[in-house]
Amino acid sequence: MTYDTLLVLDTIEDRLSTQSRELITFAAAIGCGDNSRTLLFLPGNNVEAVGRALAEETGLAIVICRHEQLVYPNPDLLRLLIQETMAEFAPKLVCFLHTMRNCQTASALAVAIGASSITAVESFIADEHGMTFQRSIANGKLRQNVRPTTTTTIVTVLVGAFSLPDKAPSGRGLTGQLYRRNYPHIASSCMPLEVCRETESGARLEDADVVIAAGRGIGRQEKLPLLKDLASLFPNAAVGASRPVCDRKWLPFSHQVGVTGKTIAPRLYMACGISGSPQHLAGIKGAHCIVAINTDPHAVIFSVADYIVIDDLNAFLPLLAHKYRERFDHE
Amino acid sequence: MKILVCIKQVIDTDRPLALSPGERWLPESGDACYRMNSYDEYALEEALLLKDCIPGVEIHALSVGPERATRVVRQALSKGADQGIHLRCDKAPLSALETAYYITHYARSQDFDLVLAGVMSEDAMQCQVGPLLAALLSLPCAVSVTAVVLADGGRITVCSELEGMLTEKIVLPLPAVVTVQSGGNIPRYPSLSNIMRAKEKTIRTIDAGDMAAAAPSEEFLPLAYPTAAIKGTILTGTRDEKAEQLLDILHGRSLL
Ligand SMILES: Cc1cc2nc3c(=O)[nH]c(=O)nc-3n(C[C@H](O)[C@H](O)[C@H](O)COP(=O)(O)OP(=O)(O)OC[C@H]3O[C@@H](n4cnc5c(N)ncnc54)[C@H](O)[C@@H]3O)c2cc1C
């Protein structure tokens, strides 16, 4: 049996990442709604139950690939295992979620089999020339169109670019074919020891109705009081930050919003001096209302903002707080 | 211990990026528009920290790019790298594989114990040069690393950041390739004496044209502006008026 597309799912300690399922939507879009030639690849130490449930839920064929060294992510090992699976099922397109670890696996696989590997794919065009994949460059300011010229293509798909698939109507009864594979003779010289969760307490961004967020555009740590002051005007507000702000230790890591920070869905998100990189935007997809303040009229954050203020935050934020006090403090 | 640090010169994306029709890569701009890729600054700092605490560490800083890329190599020298290498290549865009291929040529000639690169370049955003290098050199690799610690038996222990606030601790044998994420260290400023000393040093230039190139595996079509047009409301008027409007809006939405 051969398949056109292989979707590599992510597990950590045998738990499936929910977002991995977005790949199913991506593959369906490429196959014009038809996923019958799509094969799922589920790696882990003990993922039998997860795999069966997935085959039942999605009706898709699935390779349950067991290896005791797959409790924690191990791209080096994963690459070797995927290669075995590819030799058997001959897919022409291999898809991963765009994570740093998966970029590593994709790169290693590309070199091993002579495939093209295109990362952080957001969309695609299928026409008489074949597939063209679209991705952001320059922090999201421009879009690059890349066309693979090899017979096999590997892509990593940006998290959130495709939605989660609808749950299949129950009782459909079409369970996908299960392939159980283990390759105990394959080993890796990289040894993952453990996975730790960042437990730094502090900012309770998840519970705040309003998040006033600082970006690198604040320029200096000394500017943070401008944001804190503004936050104090709202009933349940917190101060958030982009990664560079936390990297510079202007705010603790618990304030960071984005793929490597927190995912939040406040009623109001006010982005101050934040450019709107894909990694940051991934954390605020659920925000109900976004206000962006930025000096750059072409800032990417404006493409997701509900209200756009093209201005210098150093002047605008104090003025906003001042006008608020003028208006409401006497009531 | 010999460490190679791969450094890219990137365009400053805070500036407007004007495209001419048919352009396949960011148009050439004035010298002032370019700087060192920030993740590479963190990679270089990680190498310098190792050098600070282990005797006999030698750091080679290498950049693939046009003539202007020598600026970031010089900058690396002024921060404390021992040797500067410029792999001169005017082609743009280079695929990640092409870049990695060129660096591999140099790495093979030198016996490095550790190869460091930034986790991503801020212009191309592919996150691939590091792991491709590892694959081409058949070396173990860890990506998105915020700390490298030398362990016993010619091994390193690294903290590799996963998405969603998770960190993985990995042990890997040397030689190895590691890509560095921001935040694990604070890149230093060069001292005045180091800047002076770096000015004296010669940067070795190797013409990429003299090296075998990777067979292209993808074609880059003309760039475009993102299609996601502005959906929101642009507040207009004076600063005072914009502030008043925003208060009205927030009040109207019962947020204030
Ligand atoms: C693997 C990986 C994971 C990452 N995870 C995250 C993450 O979880 N969260 C995250 O945020 N980033 C993350 N990043 C980093 C991300 O790619 C961007 O570098 C980062 O989001 C940029 O932050 P910024 O918008 O604050 O800074 P910049 O992109 O530098 O933008 C600063 C903005 O401020 C504006 N500005 C400057 N001065 C002023 C002023 N006076 N008034 C108003 N505006 C001004 C500028 O026009 C610019 O738009 C990650 C990167 C990688 C590679």
Side-chain angles (χ1 to χ4, degrees):
Chain A
M1 184 72 193
T2 62
Y3 291 88
D4 294 339
T5 304
L6 185 72
L7 309 182
V8 181
L9 307 172
D10 289 323
T11 63
I12 297 181
E13 293 177 309
D14 293 334
R15 278 191 299 273
L16 176 67
S17 117
T18 316
Q19 284 158 327
S20 273
R21 293 167 203 254
E22 291 172 7
L23 292 176
I24 298 172
T25 314
F26 175 71
I30 286 183
C32 302
D34 179 11
N35 253 340
S36 61
R37 312 254 329 134
T38 297
L39 179 63
L40 305 179
F41 182 88
L42 181 72
N45 176 37
N46 185 6
V47 282
E48 174 71 22
V50 178
R52 288 165 73 120
L54 207 57
E56 219 162 277
E57 174 201 320
T58 63
L60 297 181
I62 179 165
V63 175
I64 298 179
C65 181
R66 294 180 60 174
H67 196 293
E68 58 181 19
Q69 280 183 34
L70 281 179
V71 179
Y72 304 123
N74 186 340
D76 182 46
L77 179 63
L78 186 60
R79 186 271 291 182
L80 295 165
L81 301 174
I82 295 171
Q83 233 178 301
E84 295 285 332
T85 298
M86 288 182 74
E88 183 178 348
F89 298 101
K92 290 284 168 281
L93 179 66
V94 182
C95 313
F96 296 86
L97 265 192
H98 181 66
T99 66
M100 291 307 102
R101 233 43 71 88
N102 285 338
C103 287
Q104 182 184 350
T105 313
S107 299
L109 195 57
V111 169
I113 64 172
S116 162
S117 114
I118 302 170
T119 54
V121 165
E122 291 167 29
S123 53
F124 64 86
I125 302 167
D127 58 17
E128 70 274 20
H129 304 293
M131 298 290 293
T132 302
F133 295 98
Q134 303 184 302
R135 56 191 305 282
S136 289
I137 61 166
N139 209 16
K141 278 202 165 170
L142 295 173
R143 167 169 290 215
Q144 189 177 39
N145 297 289
V146 191
R147 191 181 290 157
T149 54
T150 48
T151 41
T152 309
T153 302
I154 304 164
V155 296
T156 68
V157 181
L158 204 68
V159 175
F162 291 82
S163 53
L164 290 170
D166 300 329
K167 282 252 191 276
S170 57
R172 208 177 57 164
L174 281 173
T175 297
Q177 168 90 44
L178 290 178
Y179 302 96
R180 293 182 183 83
R181 295 292 178 272
N182 48 40
Y183 311 100
H185 59 286
I186 294 179
S188 155
S189 62
C190 296
M191 275 188 301
L193 299 181
E194 57 178 346
V195 167
C196 313
R197 176 167 291 281
E198 183 61 50
T199 50
E200 185 187 277
S201 56
R204 308 210 26 95
L205 295 188
E206 303 89 330
D207 306 333
D209 288 327
V210 174
V211 173
I212 312 289
R216 197 178 57 101
I218 68 165
R220 292 184 285 134
Q221 185 172 25
E222 289 69 32
K223 297 289 179 185
L224 279 171
L226 293 181
L227 285 90
K228 289 182 179 159
D229 182 42
L230 195 60
S232 72
L233 304 179
F234 295 88
N236 175 23
V239 173
S242 68
R243 179 166 186 124
V245 169
C246 300
D247 284 345
R248 287 167 174 74
K249 319 277 183 252
W250 294 347
L251 279 172
F253 178 59
S254 59
H255 293 257
Q256 186 172 311
V257 174
V259 262
T260 49
K262 290 179 174 164
T263 301
I264 54 173
R267 290 177 61 209
L268 171 65
Y269 189 75
M270 205 182 278
C272 310
I274 294 180
S275 62
S277 67
Q279 295 87 2
H280 187 80
L281 297 185
I284 54 168
K285 287 226 152 70
H288 298 268
C289 175
I290 298 176
V291 174
I293 301 152
N294 200 305
T295 40
D296 177 3
H298 303 289
V300 178
I301 188 84
F302 289 155
S303 65
V304 299
D306 298 283
Y307 300 102
I308 294 164
V309 182
I310 305 170
D311 206 346
D312 187 333
L313 65 92
N314 294 301
F316 187 78
L317 296 184
L319 181 70
L320 189 65
H322 173 74
K323 292 228 168 265
Y324 171 86
R325 294 203 166 95
E326 243 179 28
R327 201 189 280 197
F328 298 108
D329 272 4
H330 312 295
E331 283 175 11
Chain B
M1 185 179 192
K2 254 167 100 171
I3 305 177
L4 174 65
V5 186
C6 308
I7 290 167
K8 187 177 191 182
Q9 190 189 39
V10 296
I11 198 161
D12 189 351
T13 51
D14 281 2
R15 296 162 188 268
L17 301 173
L19 276 187
S20 320
E23 206 99 56
R24 283 157 211 264
W25 192 239
L26 307 164
E28 273 301 306
S29 311
D31 253 2
C33 305
Y34 294 92
R35 57 176 173 78
M36 192 187 291
N37 181 44
S38 59
Y39 300 99
D40 303 346
E41 291 197 48
Y42 287 95
L44 177 61
E45 182 61 31
E46 206 57 34
L48 293 168
L49 290 172
L50 288 170
K51 183 175 162 172
D52 288 347
C53 62
I54 307 165
V57 168
E58 180 182 310
I59 300 174
H60 292 214
L62 173 154
S63 187
V64 180
E67 187 57 36
R68 57 176 164 73
T70 51
R71 284 236 325 270
V72 291
V73 178
R74 182 79 58 201
Q75 200 183 334
L77 290 172
S78 69
K79 288 189 180 207
D82 301 284
Q83 303 223 20
I85 302 96
H86 175 215
L87 293 188
R88 188 181 166 140
C89 179
D90 292 321
K91 185 181 170 200
L94 275 183
S95 74
L97 184 65
E98 287 171 300
T99 307
Y101 217 78
Y102 288 135
I103 301 173
T104 303
H105 280 290
Y106 182 73
R108 285 219 175 99
S109 73
Q110 294 287 327
D111 278 331
F112 289 107
D113 300 286
L114 184 61
V115 178
L116 299 177
V119 64
M120 173 178 96
S121 65
E122 291 165 283
D123 52 359
M125 301 172 78
Q126 302 187 86
C127 313
Q128 289 203 85
V129 169
L132 283 171
L133 262 174
L136 291 168
L137 293 166
S138 305
L139 293 180
C141 178
V143 296
S144 204
V145 164
T146 52
V148 179
V149 180
L150 214 54
D152 303 336
R155 299 183 304 171
I156 48 171
T157 307
V158 301
C159 290
S160 164
E161 206 188 78
L162 296 165
E163 290 69 15
M165 304 182 86
L166 300 175
T167 309
E168 186 175 19
K169 198 183 256 181
I170 310 171
V171 176
L172 50 167
L174 291 176
V177 178
V178 168
T179 75
V180 178
Q181 170 62 295
S182 60
N185 58 45
I186 297 181
R188 68 192 63 186
Y189 290 100
S191 67
L192 196 60
S193 61
N194 271 342
I195 293 177
M196 300 314 285
R197 222 173 301 146
K199 280 196 176 133
E200 313 278 283
K201 286 193 178 154
T202 31
I203 293 174
R204 182 174 162 204
T205 302
I206 306 171
D207 201 317
D210 298 338
M211 300 175 166
S217 50
E218 51 260 349
E219 184 188 348
F220 296 99
L221 306 176
L223 299 176
Y225 291 108
T227 40
I230 284 179
K231 306 181 291 285
T233 310
I234 304 178
L235 305 188
T236 53
T238 63
R239 181 169 286 151
D240 268 51
E241 286 161 359
K242 286 189 279 193
E244 294 284 0
Q245 283 174 57
L246 188 54
L247 286 179
D248 290 343
I249 290 162
L250 297 179
H251 196 56
R253 285 180 157 242
S254 318
L255 287 163
L256 267 177

